[in-house]
Amino acid sequence: MPLRVPGDRVRFAKVARRTISEEVRDALLASVREGELRPGAQLPPERTLCEQFGVARTSVREAIQGLVSIGCLVKRGNRFYVAERLPGVSFDADDGRKLRVSELFEVRQVTEVAIARLAAIRAAPDERAEIGELAAGFDPQMTLEAFRRQDRRFHAALARACGNTTLRELYAKVLDAVFASGDFASLLDAEGNAEAVRQVIAESCRSHRGIAEAVAAGIPDAAARAAADHLGEVERQMTARMF
């Protein structure tokens, strides 16, 4: 929570969970709502916020981007200012969307990490080659629609290569749930989330290649780790940066 000090300077207490940008975002939003940062006021420099909150620049930038996306902050030149007319927005609960997204990612962690591990052990040479080709087909500049098509093909190919028919059939239902999810779509399609979506696509390009390389090399631990890291990063982007 922000600390009240005399004068116009606003300072903030360090947050306990240094990797959670929501805490920084909520503290900034509280200072705006309580009038410590008034409409038209310039936001303190990024370095100052990092020092006061005791967090890395990534967390501050994500917090600021979240407030920009809802119209609470505006950018002029290289600085950020409190909007003259503030929107009536709350981040509480997110209408259950993010809870549902997190549940889907839990299921994906359970299934996809195991699939990647098994694929690294059991995939046939042609299956390893197909997975590599699909991974190479990701492009940071591709549209969201093209990315989602390629993403489904990539993960379906991994499932085919895992050598477990029951797991493959179960995972097909997981993919159906993910790609039919209105909660996923509402976050990915929101105009204010465009920058975060581009980062998800760029990260996925790298991580899918990492998974494919581990599968091609037949290193199950590396494949499982790459899959887990990928899912964790995408979930973080969707639940921490998207609104």
Side-chain angles (χ1 to χ4, degrees), residues 18-234:
R18 294 173 182 258
T19 60
I20 306 299
S21 61
E22 290 101 324
E23 294 190 35
V24 178
R25 180 201 66 198
D26 291 346
L28 289 170
L29 184 59
S31 73
V32 171
R33 287 176 170 168
E34 293 172 11
E36 293 181 308
L37 284 171
R38 299 186 178 187
Q42 181 176 294
L43 197 68
E46 185 179 278
R47 177 179 296 180
T48 300
L49 292 174
C50 290
E51 292 173 352
Q52 293 180 5
F53 283 116
V55 298
R57 289 193 174 189
T58 300
S59 295
V60 169
R61 288 172 181 171
E62 290 181 357
I64 291 173
Q65 180 57 41
L67 295 176
V68 169
S69 71
I70 63 165
C72 185
L73 297 179
V74 295
K75 188 174 184 180
R76 299 175 192 155
N78 293 322
R79 301 303 302 271
F80 291 94
Y81 296 80
V82 179
E84 296 289 348
R85 299 185 64 180
L86 296 174
V89 177
S90 172
F91 290 102
D92 296 336
D94 290 313
D95 299 323
R97 292 178 306 154
K98 291 184 180 179
L99 175 60
R100 173 60 175 160
V101 167
S102 291
E103 288 177 348
L104 288 170
F105 270 105
E106 284 184 355
V107 177
R108 293 187 68 180
Q109 285 279 3
V110 170
T111 53
E112 290 184 28
V113 173
I115 284 170
R117 180 183 295 277
L118 291 173
I121 298 170
R122 299 174 177 173
D126 61 329
E127 291 173 327
R128 297 178 198 269
E130 179 189 12
I131 291 168
E133 290 173 2
L134 288 169
F138 286 95
D139 185 327
Q141 302 306 317
M142 67 199 313
T143 65
L144 175 60
E145 182 180 359
F147 166 75
R148 298 202 79 191
R149 287 197 303 268
Q150 189 74 358
D151 189 54
R152 183 159 192 166
R153 286 195 291 262
F154 176 82
H155 289 290
L158 275 174
R160 288 194 299 271
C162 80
N164 184 315
T165 302
T166 302
L167 182 56
R168 174 182 170 181
E169 292 174 352
L170 173 64
Y171 185 61
K173 295 180 180 180
V174 174
L175 281 180
D176 286 342
V178 170
F179 284 88
S181 171
D183 298 313
F184 255 77
S186 68
L187 292 173
L188 294 173
D189 293 338
E191 184 177 350
N193 292 334
E195 181 179 342
V197 169
R198 293 252 58 90
Q199 289 193 13
V200 166
I201 292 174
E203 188 281 332
S204 296
C205 291
R206 295 188 296 270
S207 60
H208 285 143
R209 290 188 178 96
I211 296 169
E213 289 169 1
V215 170
I219 308 176
D221 286 347
R225 184 167 56 251
D229 289 348
H230 164 58
L231 291 170
E233 176 61 19
V234 174

